[in-house]
Amino acid sequence: PKFYFALTVTSSFISGLIFVFEWWHFRKYGTSFIEQVSVSHLRPLIGGAENSPPAPAAFSAGENETSRQNMPECKVWRNPLNLFRGAEYSRYMWVTGKEPLTYYDMNLSAQDHQTFFTCDTDALRPSDTVMQKAWRERNPQARIKAAYQALELNNDCATAYVLLAEEEATTIVDAEKYFKQALKAGEIIYRKSQNCHSQSPQHEAQLRRDTNVLVYVKRRLAMCARKLGRIREAVKMMRDLMKEFPLLSMLNIHENLLEALLELQAYADVQAVLAKYDDISLPKSAAICYTAALLKARAVSERFSPETASKRGLSTAEINAVEAIHRAVEFNPHVPKYLLEMKSLVLPPEHILKRGDSEAVAYAFFHLQHWKRIEGALNLLHCTWEGTFRMIPYPLEKGHLFYPYPSCTETADRELLPTFHEVSVYPQKELPFFIHFTAGLCSFSAMLALLTHQFPELMVVFAKAVSTFNYRSCCDGC
């Protein structure tokens, strides 16, 4: 009995450890560790690799063209409404002790800064040379120190003021002061570059860089005005910026404009912006799709009642609102849980993945207040959003109004969002077979250990009977 008891206890303990590890691996990476090892290492050994199709692998530089065409790309975009590091992200970290930005997200921002704010002619100006090194620094204090060094060499170094506004300023008011200095310096440099941009390719590159700096500064000044309550001023600045640089639509300045107009409750102006940018030929976003749904819902939400609608049926306006909600949910199915406050929000990252959880966090963080302001809008969303999933039972294979939902969003969102945030996964994955198996094995062996401890004689008789039956079966087979 002692031997059987020790054996079953050990078996229960080992299977319990396997179960806990499998569950942790599945929660973190979304796959079964045992299945992954079986596919990667055991199948080639038993000769299954030749007869079975290759398992989908992670994206890498060595993929062939066929697999690239078949697999959806998860392109990461700059968040149009990203917060200020010093005045917002850092203050959050000081209060909570939690790091709101991931290393991957900050590394993408560093690459953006090097792309936007540097060019080949930086070596001709000592201050720009210092700033070129500053954007590559990982330590925030080293970046700030380099910005001050650049200002000592050239008091009109616009990019140095940009860095100080983003990272040293601890309030939006201080950030705005730095950006105003950056605007003054940036306009001077931009005019000089315009006068000599046709002289050589290097001067053209310098003009592109100075244009990027000027657009970035004006946009951030508009965002400062929006955060400080000067919303009409912010709207004017955004409209002027879009008129002055119409070719820079890929920066998605219209999403900043949409949010500011919603705050003003200028719904006719919001509709005019949507009429221009919610076009079939232009890339979509959660801001576009959900704002369109919000305007449709606004027309009917105040009088909408699910009981009344079930009796008399939906009116034409209600059908249009429901279809707009279904369209928005199909584009990004993660947003409704944040708008309905079924999931807690975190600070949005500096980069987002369209149709992913990171985009949903960024949208809901800024637009939840606009949905709450319209009476009945959240109630209409609550009653109708889950109906989307009945139209697209297999979202990874076939969509309704958009392409199939990309399967790579979870991995990218885990890189963009902080570790203390529970990433939303769509569609929900079923638990792998091996988690069920190890859970059953652990429970069964624990039950055997308990029975052996409580009824040792009966378990010995049972064990002998089983071993005798197996022995006779083997003899009969021989």
Side-chain angles (χ1 to χ4, degrees):
K2 290 181 179 180
F3 170 75
Y4 287 121
F5 179 69
L7 180 65
T8 50
V9 167
T10 305
S11 174
S12 176
F13 177 72
I14 293 174
S15 58
L17 286 179
I18 296 173
F19 170 68
V20 171
F21 177 76
E22 268 283 284
W23 177 256
W24 169 83
H25 192 275
F26 175 74
R27 293 288 293 176
K28 185 168 185 179
Y29 300 105
T31 59
S32 165
F33 176 76
I34 298 176
E35 288 181 5
Q36 195 173 4
V37 170
S38 301
V39 171
S40 304
H41 302 287
L42 299 183
R43 184 180 292 180
L45 293 177
I46 62 177
E50 297 90 358
N51 300 326
S52 59
F59 294 109
S60 64
E63 285 181 330
N64 57 36
E65 291 301 320
T66 305
S67 62
R68 281 185 182 174
Q69 293 172 2
N70 293 336
M71 290 184 179
E73 277 195 39
C74 285
K75 181 181 178 181
V76 175
W77 299 72
R78 183 85 175 172
N79 183 2
L81 287 85
N82 66 304
L83 305 178
F84 294 84
R85 281 204 190 171
E88 292 172 307
Y89 288 120
S90 294
R91 290 169 70 89
Y92 176 85
M93 187 173 64
W94 297 337
V95 173
T96 64
K98 297 178 180 179
E99 179 58 66
L101 296 174
T102 64
Y103 173 77
Y104 175 69
D105 192 16
M106 291 188 288
N107 187 51
L108 289 175
S109 296
Q111 294 176 23
D112 290 342
H113 294 151
Q114 292 175 52
T115 302
F116 294 156
F117 302 146
T118 63
C119 66
D120 296 337
T121 62
D122 285 345
L124 302 177
R125 294 187 286 196
S127 59
D128 289 338
T129 304
V130 173
M131 288 307 300
Q132 193 174 53
K133 295 178 181 177
W135 296 121
R136 296 173 183 167
E137 284 285 352
R138 293 185 179 182
N139 188 336
Q141 294 305 318
R143 290 195 293 271
I144 293 172
K145 183 179 178 181
Y148 278 114
Q149 290 175 354
L151 289 175
E152 289 176 1
L153 295 171
N154 177 15
N155 196 43
D156 290 331
C157 182
T159 53
Y161 289 119
V162 168
L163 192 148
L164 294 176
E166 291 287 353
E167 303 201 23
E168 191 191 41
T170 55
T171 64
I172 301 298
V173 174
D174 293 339
E176 187 179 38
K177 291 178 181 178
Y178 279 124
F179 276 123
K180 285 181 177 179
Q181 291 176 287
L183 178 62
K184 183 179 178 181
E187 286 179 333
I188 295 172
I189 299 172
Y190 177 71
R191 283 194 292 268
K192 290 180 180 178
S193 299
Q194 274 188 315
N195 294 332
C196 57
H197 75 278
S198 59
Q199 295 179 5
S200 67
Q202 289 78 15
H203 285 91
E204 289 183 10
Q206 186 173 326
L207 176 62
R208 283 195 299 271
R209 190 276 307 272
D210 294 337
T211 303
N212 290 338
V213 173
L214 188 62
V215 171
Y216 184 90
V217 170
K218 287 187 175 183
R219 179 184 197 163
R220 293 305 254 178
L221 276 172
M223 294 174 71
C224 287
R226 162 68 182 92
K227 292 174 185 290
L228 293 173
R230 305 194 309 269
I231 305 171
R232 295 189 183 278
E233 179 186 342
V235 168
K236 183 179 183 305
M237 294 171 71
M238 292 173 194
R239 289 190 186 277
D240 292 343
L241 186 58
M242 293 167 67
K243 289 179 182 177
E244 188 177 0
F245 302 97
L247 298 179
L248 296 179
S249 60
M250 74 287 295
L251 297 177
N252 296 324
I253 301 173
H254 59 274
E255 294 194 14
N256 299 84
L257 179 61
L258 280 174
E259 196 279 326
L261 290 172
L262 285 171
E263 182 63 22
L264 287 175
Q265 302 183 45
Y267 298 114
D269 292 335
V270 172
Q271 186 62 59
V273 175
L274 286 178
K276 182 177 180 181
Y277 290 97
D278 192 7
D279 186 82
I280 192 171
S281 61
L282 297 176
K284 298 293 179 290
S285 66
I288 292 289
C289 294
Y290 277 90
T291 302
L294 179 62
L295 293 189
K296 294 280 181 66
R298 175 175 170 268
V300 299
S301 60
E302 189 175 352
R303 300 178 301 276
F304 178 79
S305 169
E307 293 81 11
T308 306
S310 62
K311 293 178 182 178
R312 62 168 171 78
L314 295 175
S315 65
T316 304
E318 288 171 339
I319 290 174
N320 291 336
V322 171
E323 288 178 349
I325 289 174
H326 287 173
R327 171 180 180 258
V329 174
E330 182 184 353
F331 182 82
N332 193 317
H334 308 281
V335 171
K337 287 188 177 181
Y338 294 107
L339 293 179
L340 298 172
E341 298 182 271
M342 299 165 65
K343 275 180 68 75
S344 58
L345 279 169
V346 294
L347 293 188
E350 293 183 335
H351 291 81
I352 58 173
L353 180 67
K354 288 193 176 183
R355 306 189 73 178
D357 191 35
S358 51
E359 185 191 34
V361 169
Y363 173 80
F365 185 87
F366 293 100
H367 288 262
L368 175 58
Q369 57 182 329
H370 306 315
W371 281 80
K372 285 184 174 181
R373 187 178 291 124
I374 296 176
E375 186 179 354
L378 289 175
N379 177 50
L380 179 61
L381 178 68
H382 174 72
C383 295
T384 58
W385 74 280
E386 290 181 320
T388 310
F389 307 130
R390 290 192 288 271
M391 298 188 302
I392 42 174
Y394 305 104
L396 299 179
E397 300 172 11
K398 185 179 179 181
H400 180 60
L401 297 173
F402 298 100
Y403 288 111
Y405 189 79
S407 59
C408 55
T409 56
E410 181 186 355
T411 304
D413 280 331
R414 291 187 189 279
E415 295 284 344
L416 291 170
L417 293 165
T419 54
F420 56 84
H421 173 72
E422 183 181 353
V423 174
S424 176
V425 179
Y426 175 79
Q428 288 292 333
K429 298 180 180 178
E430 296 181 358
L431 289 179
F433 164 75
F434 284 104
I435 289 185
H436 292 288
F437 176 76
T438 51
L441 180 62
C442 177
S443 303
F444 178 70
S445 54
M447 184 182 66
L448 284 181
L450 180 63
L451 291 174
T452 304
H453 180 70
Q454 293 292 331
F455 310 105
E457 289 127 4
L458 288 176
M459 292 303 293
V460 168
V461 173
F462 176 73
K464 286 182 178 179
V466 172
S467 59
T468 303
F469 176 77
N470 289 336
Y471 176 74
R472 288 178 178 174
S473 299
C474 291
C475 291
D476 293 342
C478 294

